[in-house]
Amino acid sequence: MKRIKVLEVIRQGKMGGMESHLLDLITFLDKERFEPVCLSFTSGEMITRLEAMGVKCYVIDTLRPFDLRVMRQVVKLMRDEGIQVVHAHGSRAASNMVWPAKRLRVPFIYTVHGWSFHDDQSWPVKKLRAWSEKLICAMASRVICVSRSNADTGRDTFGLKNAYVIENGINLVRFNPANQFNDLRKEFGFAEDDFVAGFIARCTKQKAPLDFLNGVRLAHERDPKVKGLFVGEGDMDAEVDDMIAKRKMGSYIYRTKFRTDVPDLLNCIDVYCLPSLWEGLSIALLEAMAMGKPIVATPTDGTKEVITHEDNGLLISFSHPVALAAAIYRLHGDSELCKQCGLKARDLVVQRFNAQRVSDAVGNIYREELL
């Protein structure tokens, strides 16, 4: 049987939730039926990992959406590789694939990992972003949403129709609290009885890293045993470093750039915090849940579908560090609630969010597009 050649396209090669999703998708894809090829518009750790798996990868450098300058290179790549299906992850990647796919008459699948428009944008920016998403979706053969809320938002905003909801999945072998882990608490300077709030995400406006820092600061002022682990990098690095320095938070917040040992990192924290302004369905959130960690998070599209307040986590208001601090402090003082939330978070991920299920469902869509 000749394998179907699929071009998996993503905006960047640096690791993040979307990139973890793509790694797992390719890992669990049926290699007897499909031959994945990856195109990224920047290099990074994800490309290194895929190449180590034997996946052919290309990098065409651009940070721009709808970049006409790179489309000739994309068309040549697709012709040279004999691509039969294009699967773009995220709006930036999709914007640079709609015309090449149409020109070569190749089925184009778009997975929405959270819409590029959201309520904190100015009206003109939000309107333009919504228009571009509508254009991409109209050009796509299939649109996949990673949460039901994302599909509903698309329908309500610009009339999205017939979206396929395939929730994100997690590698439950790797993210399993029963595994053996390296003891990173000693490396980071945390004591056994410290209560560590973790933020493991890109350091960008979307993830609201300053809200996390302020939340930990306020909780630490109430109880010095509350400390923070901040893992990630991005375009807000300077602001984060500046806040830590000016507020003299270095004694109780350990700051590190991206690391590959995410299960070890999650194992060493007591609660995972995600005060995002918007999300599709956060992979990092599901990874923390898979590791049995209680969650403190804002009710973004995907998050409110998986976190039930006071059952498997605590939901807080957007842009509200005081509420974040109160939630952290509450879990610190209520060990039974903390344990219950962690166990129920793990149970939900095991039941619903298996990476193999995602790859099988996406593979079925690839096959259907070529019937």
Side-chain angles (χ1 to χ4, degrees), residues 91-278:
S91 57
R92 182 74 59 83
S95 71
N96 288 320
M97 296 306 302
V98 287
W99 303 118
K102 183 175 179 60
R103 178 175 174 180
L104 297 181
R105 298 182 180 179
V106 172
F108 169 62
I109 298 164
Y110 172 36
T111 290
V112 180
H113 293 269
W115 299 108
S116 60
F117 56 86
H118 34 89
D119 289 338
D120 73 321
Q121 295 166 333
S122 65
W123 183 87
V125 170
K126 183 178 179 181
K127 196 73 174 176
L128 179 62
R129 293 281 186 89
W131 177 85
S132 67
E133 293 280 12
K134 181 178 181 179
L135 173 63
I136 293 169
C137 291
M139 300 282 282
S141 310
R142 308 274 184 114
V143 177
I144 299 172
C145 292
V146 297
S147 70
R148 172 55 58 189
S149 295
N150 256 194
D152 292 343
T153 298
R155 180 199 63 215
D156 295 342
T157 303
F158 59 83
L160 175 67
K161 297 179 180 178
N162 301 321
Y164 294 77
V165 177
I166 302 177
E167 294 175 318
N168 282 331
I170 296 299
N171 185 334
L172 295 175
V173 175
R174 185 169 183 238
F175 291 92
N176 184 342
N179 292 343
Q180 296 294 314
F181 302 98
N182 294 319
D183 183 5
L184 298 183
R185 289 177 78 98
K186 293 181 180 178
E187 176 184 333
F188 299 150
F190 299 133
E192 286 188 15
D193 59 344
D194 284 337
F195 189 82
V196 182
F199 176 94
I200 305 171
R202 287 180 294 111
C203 187
T204 63
K205 179 182 178 181
Q206 174 192 356
K207 307 296 182 179
L210 302 186
D211 288 348
F212 170 75
L213 293 178
N214 276 319
V216 173
R217 176 179 61 82
L218 293 170
H220 179 78
E221 288 175 356
R222 295 183 67 181
D223 188 335
K225 285 296 181 182
V226 175
K227 297 183 180 178
L229 175 64
F230 189 114
V231 182
E233 53 194 297
D235 54 22
M236 288 187 66
D237 283 342
E239 292 172 72
V240 165
D241 291 339
D242 186 58
M243 174 178 280
I244 291 173
K246 286 184 175 179
R247 293 280 190 170
K248 296 181 171 52
M249 303 165 75
S251 63
Y252 59 90
I253 290 183
Y254 188 92
R255 162 89 154 107
T256 180
K257 293 185 177 181
F258 168 78
R259 294 172 56 130
T260 60
D261 53 347
V262 177
D264 292 321
L265 293 168
L266 289 168
N267 182 65
C268 86
I269 67 173
D270 296 290
V271 56
Y272 181 78
C273 301
L274 191 67
S276 298
L277 300 178
W278 70 92

Side-chain angles (χ1 to χ4, degrees), residues 55-113:
V55 176
K56 186 180 289 187
C57 296
Y58 292 88
V59 175
I60 298 176
D61 289 312
T62 182
L63 298 176
R64 298 181 181 181
F66 297 103
D67 191 345
L68 297 175
R69 301 171 306 165
V70 304
M71 292 189 185
R72 182 178 297 179
Q73 298 175 64
V74 174
V75 168
K76 183 177 186 304
L77 186 164
M78 291 174 61
R79 282 177 171 158
D80 290 347
E81 286 291 341
I83 297 300
Q84 297 166 271
V85 176
V86 169
H87 185 183
H89 300 264
S91 57
R92 182 74 59 83
S95 71
N96 288 320
M97 296 306 302
V98 287
W99 303 118
K102 183 175 179 60
R103 178 175 174 180
L104 297 181
R105 298 182 180 179
V106 172
F108 169 62
I109 298 164
Y110 172 36
T111 290
V112 180
H113 293 269

Side-chain angles (χ1 to χ4, degrees), residues 309-364:
H309 186 58
E310 298 186 341
D311 180 69
N312 59 0
L314 300 178
L315 292 173
I316 59 170
S317 301
F318 293 99
S319 305
H320 202 325
V322 173
L324 178 59
I328 293 171
Y329 187 77
R330 181 183 175 190
L331 289 170
H332 172 40
D334 191 337
S335 59
E336 189 57 35
L337 177 63
C338 194
K339 179 180 177 181
Q340 167 199 296
C341 286
L343 290 173
K344 290 190 174 182
R346 166 74 184 174
D347 287 345
L348 180 65
V349 172
V350 170
Q351 292 167 20
R352 283 177 53 184
F353 300 102
N354 190 312
Q356 183 64 67
R357 172 193 57 80
V358 174
S359 291
D360 290 346
V362 173
N364 287 336

